[in-house]
Amino acid sequence: SLLSYLLGSLFGRWDIRYAIGEKTPPELPDPFAPLPACSPGMLQGEDGLPLTKAPPGYPLKIDDDGIIVDDEYHPEDIIIRLREVITLLWGDKADLIEREAWEILGVKSLREYFRKSGAGGFWDSHIKHYSKSRRKAPIYWLLQSSRKNYALWIYYHRLTPDTLFRALERYVKPKIQMEETRLMEMQAEREKAGTSGASVKRLEKAIDKQEAFVGELADFKEKLERAASLFIEPDLDDGVVLTIAPLHELVPWKEAASYWDELLEGKYEWSSIEKQLRKKGLVKK
């Protein structure tokens, strides 16, 4: 729950100023008063509506495009950003808090916890936390490569028609270019290294691993481009399970694939997404 709160703070869902004492929590409203648009802990403006950008003087950088990447070499890497929040909250004790967190979770690092898509990982925990009865509505989406070496986290409430294209241009394509350059440098080094020796074998092994990673990234890009090329205008009134369905090739959640199949079978005629898919000739009935 704490890590979910920290990730939500990075996306601008929660107002971190309550946690660090810059703001006093509001008094509980009358139980019969109309429900507000936002819960008391959310980052909101004077009008009581959610903010999409950090207000002046806000103590934390917000990923207002709704995208955070799992890439240790990127400044927007999820673990780097989470450590920023942990440091903001606990100061000099940040390293101890982080270590205690992953020890409690039974993993070797926070990165392992966020990369693990099955039981014992953040994604599985998040789905359970945001499910009630028959309603399943995870709001932080994991888009993950086939071997789990690369991923994007997307915030449902920041989803726009440009989100997937932005993810491709800002994160995925530059990453592929960087790793392809690294591969060419390794191959050039191999050519100069001779034909035998332990160092050559280590280099060849590293090249094989790098080639596999570049291929994994290319596969991720192809699947993300396939979803983006649908040009779907997201309508949050459709609900999470229908909105996430076009990303079924990347989301490690069987619900996404099931609802995608049902959309193509014409089972949700009332939804905005099925109407759009029908216009594109993708609905079978």
Side-chain angles (χ1 to χ4, degrees):
S1 295
L2 175 61
L3 289 173
S4 180
Y5 174 78
L6 299 184
L7 182 58
S9 297
L10 291 177
F11 280 128
R13 179 173 180 82
W14 306 117
D15 192 335
I16 198 69
R17 292 174 295 186
Y18 289 120
I20 62 176
E22 287 190 5
K23 293 183 72 175
T24 303
E27 295 183 3
L28 291 176
D30 184 280
F32 298 103
L35 288 174
C38 297
S39 63
M42 292 183 70
L43 182 63
Q44 52 190 291
E46 296 297 328
D47 57 2
L49 297 177
L51 289 177
T52 56
K53 294 185 179 294
Y58 195 68
L60 181 68
K61 178 186 174 184
I62 288 176
D63 285 88
D64 52 21
D65 63 357
I67 307 170
I68 296 179
V69 64
D70 177 359
D71 176 5
E72 59 184 312
Y73 300 105
H74 198 287
E76 297 300 322
D77 172 57
I78 186 171
I79 304 304
I80 292 175
R81 297 301 326 280
L82 284 171
R83 285 172 178 159
E84 292 176 11
V85 195
I86 294 172
T87 300
L88 180 63
L89 293 176
W90 284 282
D92 294 339
K93 296 181 179 180
D95 289 343
L96 293 175
I97 294 295
E98 179 182 339
R99 177 178 291 273
E100 183 179 9
W102 50 257
E103 285 179 350
I104 291 171
L105 293 166
V107 293
K108 296 179 181 179
S109 67
L110 284 186
R111 192 172 302 281
E112 179 185 330
Y113 180 61
F114 277 89
R115 282 192 175 179
K116 184 184 291 188
S117 56
F122 178 81
W123 171 242
D124 183 66
S125 173
H126 178 61
I127 291 173
K128 293 175 181 176
H129 192 68
Y130 278 75
S131 297
K132 183 72 171 179
S133 300
R134 296 177 60 186
R135 182 176 182 268
K136 300 176 181 179
I139 58 173
Y140 311 130
W141 295 355
L142 172 61
L143 279 58
Q144 195 171 51
S145 64
S146 58
R147 297 183 180 179
K148 304 181 182 181
N149 292 310
Y150 185 79
L152 298 172
W153 287 90
I154 292 180
Y155 179 33
Y156 173 59
H157 291 288
R158 291 279 191 279
L159 200 62
T160 73
D162 298 325
T163 296
L164 301 185
F165 293 102
R166 189 177 293 120
L168 283 164
E169 296 300 324
R170 292 187 180 180
Y171 300 95
V172 182
K173 290 181 180 179
K175 176 64 173 177
I176 291 176
Q177 185 176 17
M178 183 183 75
E179 297 301 337
E180 286 178 338
T181 299
R182 184 174 296 171
L183 176 59
M184 288 188 291
E185 291 172 350
M186 294 168 68
Q187 291 169 335
E189 184 181 351
R190 170 64 185 85
E191 291 179 2
K192 298 176 182 179
T195 57
S196 62
S199 61
V200 171
K201 290 182 179 179
R202 285 195 297 269
L203 186 54
E204 288 177 341
K205 187 176 181 179
I207 289 174
D208 289 342
K209 183 178 180 180
Q210 184 67 8
E211 286 177 339
F213 184 41
V214 170
E216 180 181 349
L217 290 172
D219 176 70
F220 183 90
K221 171 177 169 287
E222 180 182 340
K223 291 173 179 175
L224 187 58
E225 285 179 331
R226 194 148 48 233
S229 65
L230 293 171
F231 296 99
I232 296 295
E233 182 89 26
D235 184 345
L236 302 193
D237 288 339
D238 284 349
V240 170
V241 289
L242 294 186
T243 308
I244 202 174
L247 294 164
H248 63 97
E249 290 188 292
L250 293 171
V251 177
W253 189 34
K254 64 180 181 180
E255 300 290 341
S258 296
Y259 279 93
W260 177 249
D261 291 340
E262 291 181 356
L263 279 168
L264 298 187
E265 290 170 3
K267 291 188 176 181
Y268 301 97
E269 294 183 3
W270 55 266
S271 68
S272 171
I273 185 171
E274 183 166 311
K275 291 174 183 176
Q276 294 177 65
L277 293 173
R278 189 176 295 278
K279 288 182 179 179
K280 299 175 189 298
L282 296 176
V283 179
K284 299 173 185 176
K285 296 181 180 180

